[in-house]
Amino acid sequence: MRCFQDEAQAILDLIPRIDDNFTKAVEMIFNCKGKVIVTGVGKSGHVGEKMASTLASLGTPSFFLNPLDAFHGDLGMISEGDVVISISYSGYTDELLRFIPLLMERNIPIIGITGNKNSLLAQYSSCHLDIHVDHEADPLNLAPTSSTMATMAMGDALACALVKMRDFKANDFAQFHPGGSLGKRLLSHARDYMVKDNLPIVTPDTKVFDAIITASNGKLGLAIVIDEKGVLKGIITDGDVRRAVQKYQNKMFELTVKDIMTPNPKTVRPETTLNEVDKILRKYNIHALVVTDKDESVVGVIDSFRVV
């Protein structure tokens, strides 16, 4: 419990330190014509990798560079127009300090993130973000715990501020995550996942018993009711059948589909995104939607199992 409290407090303590330096850092990244390169050693390096990944996923071209690799050829990855975010809690990490003059010679602006505003890294930086913590969360006050949480939170704050400045939308995010569930819902359409073959089709004059058999064989939890022109007239769901049994009891099987169907069911077009399909399913607490074309002819069925 104490660990959670200490790390949470370390993040809360950052709030009063959000000043003009933070604004300058956000503007430097926003106006960057090249890439944002995040660098750090040890635990700071691990946090830096996450920071670069978050920035990249939210629209800022970014990658992580180990400063040790910069001395062995990778310095060529940095070019005019780039911005470097350099992370060192002490601000005196030797590998970074030897790396900084190489950046300064090339006029590469540096955003320094340290826990010591008087450190050499802070002094050499174009702007400095203070992530000082009163103590680490571990009982020995040695392992980077609270400080790494504060550093990560500062990186997330930069990324979130840039989302606002760029007016970055969910669709933009999906472009960078096409393989995830969000990307699937935002970039895919009903036509991509709908069932379109062997649909459980009945007519208004079909006997209820036959409609139940058709719905069962279709394994979609419904039967689709169309007229002679193929235009959607309604659906029969499990709920419709249960309500009919309660209302008509033994006489139910003397009825036809038009007596128990749900007319004017909710529909979507083939070009409707899965995200919109999901919203409609949730709004009306239903499990499936009939997909119709502009003439209201049935072309498929999309259900909740295919939206996930």
Side-chain angles (χ1 to χ4, degrees):
M1 183 68 72
R2 180 63 182 272
C3 177
F4 290 127
Q5 292 174 336
D6 287 346
E7 293 192 352
Q9 189 60 52
I11 295 174
L12 291 174
D13 288 343
L14 295 178
I15 296 175
R17 297 182 220 150
I18 300 300
D19 54 15
D20 292 342
N21 278 295
F22 182 83
T23 302
K24 183 178 180 181
V26 173
E27 291 176 345
M28 286 170 61
I29 298 172
F30 180 75
N31 294 318
C32 176
K33 303 301 182 183
K35 309 170 293 299
V36 174
I37 296 93
V38 186
T39 185
V41 179
K43 301 297 189 297
S44 293
H46 296 315
V47 175
E49 290 185 66
K50 188 272 181 188
M51 192 181 298
S53 178
T54 299
L55 287 168
S57 70
L58 293 173
T60 298
S62 178
F63 65 86
F64 176 79
L65 174 63
N66 189 315
L68 296 175
D69 294 331
F71 297 111
H72 299 280
D74 285 0
L75 189 62
M77 295 181 178
I78 304 175
S79 57
E80 184 178 352
D82 292 345
V83 171
V84 169
I85 299 177
S86 188
I87 308 170
S88 167
Y89 184 73
S90 70
Y92 287 100
T93 303
D94 182 63
E95 296 88 345
L96 278 180
L97 292 180
R98 289 190 288 121
F99 175 50
I100 295 303
L102 303 177
L103 300 176
M104 297 178 67
E105 285 181 4
R106 303 171 66 180
N107 295 316
I108 304 295
I110 302 167
I111 299 171
I113 301 181
T114 84
N116 184 353
K117 61 184 179 181
N118 297 314
S119 65
L120 287 177
L121 177 56
Q123 295 176 39
Y124 287 141
S125 299
S126 306
C127 69
H128 174 249
L129 302 178
D130 183 7
I131 44 94
H132 172 75
V133 299
D134 290 335
H135 57 84
E136 300 289 359
D138 84 288
L140 299 176
N141 192 30
L142 294 175
T145 46
S146 297
S147 58
T148 53
M149 289 299 295
T151 309
M152 192 173 298
M154 185 64 77
D156 288 343
L158 290 172
C160 291
L162 288 161
V163 167
K164 289 288 188 179
M165 290 187 71
R166 296 191 200 294
D167 195 26
F168 199 78
K169 303 295 186 184
N171 279 329
D172 301 314
F173 185 83
Q175 297 288 339
F176 298 105
H177 299 75
S181 60
L182 176 62
K184 172 185 172 181
R185 292 199 304 271
L186 290 172
L187 301 178
S188 300
H189 304 84
R191 62 173 172 264
D192 301 319
Y193 287 89
M194 69 183 184
V195 177
K196 52 187 177 182
D197 298 322
N198 301 316
L199 295 174
I201 300 292
V202 297
T203 69
D205 296 323
T206 301
K207 289 291 187 179
V208 168
F209 179 80
D210 294 329
I212 293 174
I213 297 299
T214 299
S216 178
N217 290 336
K219 299 180 180 180
L220 292 173
L222 55 78
I224 305 166
V225 187
I226 62 172
D227 63 16
E228 66 278 0
K229 296 181 180 180
V231 175
L232 179 67
K233 305 304 291 184
I235 58 173
I236 291 182
T237 66
D238 295 340
D240 292 324
V241 173
R242 288 195 300 272
R243 287 187 288 271
V245 170
Q246 291 176 339
K247 182 176 180 179
Y248 299 107
Q249 299 184 14
N250 294 335
K251 295 181 179 180
M252 188 190 75
F253 291 109
E254 300 174 9
L255 304 176
T256 58
V257 164
K258 63 177 175 287
D259 297 316
I260 72 167
M261 72 180 187
T262 297
N264 304 314
K266 304 299 179 186
T267 63
V268 292
R269 294 284 189 251
E271 62 271 16
T272 304
T273 66
L274 292 191
N275 194 48
E276 287 301 317
V277 170
D278 184 53
K279 288 181 181 179
I280 296 171
L281 292 173
R282 292 176 184 275
K283 179 178 180 180
Y284 296 101
N285 194 28
I286 53 180
H287 80 280
L289 290 164
V290 180
V291 185
T292 59
D293 61 19
K294 62 181 180 180
D295 298 320
E296 299 304 324
S297 295
V298 176
V299 295
V301 173
I302 183 80
D303 61 25
S304 55
F305 296 108
R306 290 167 175 79
V307 174
V308 176

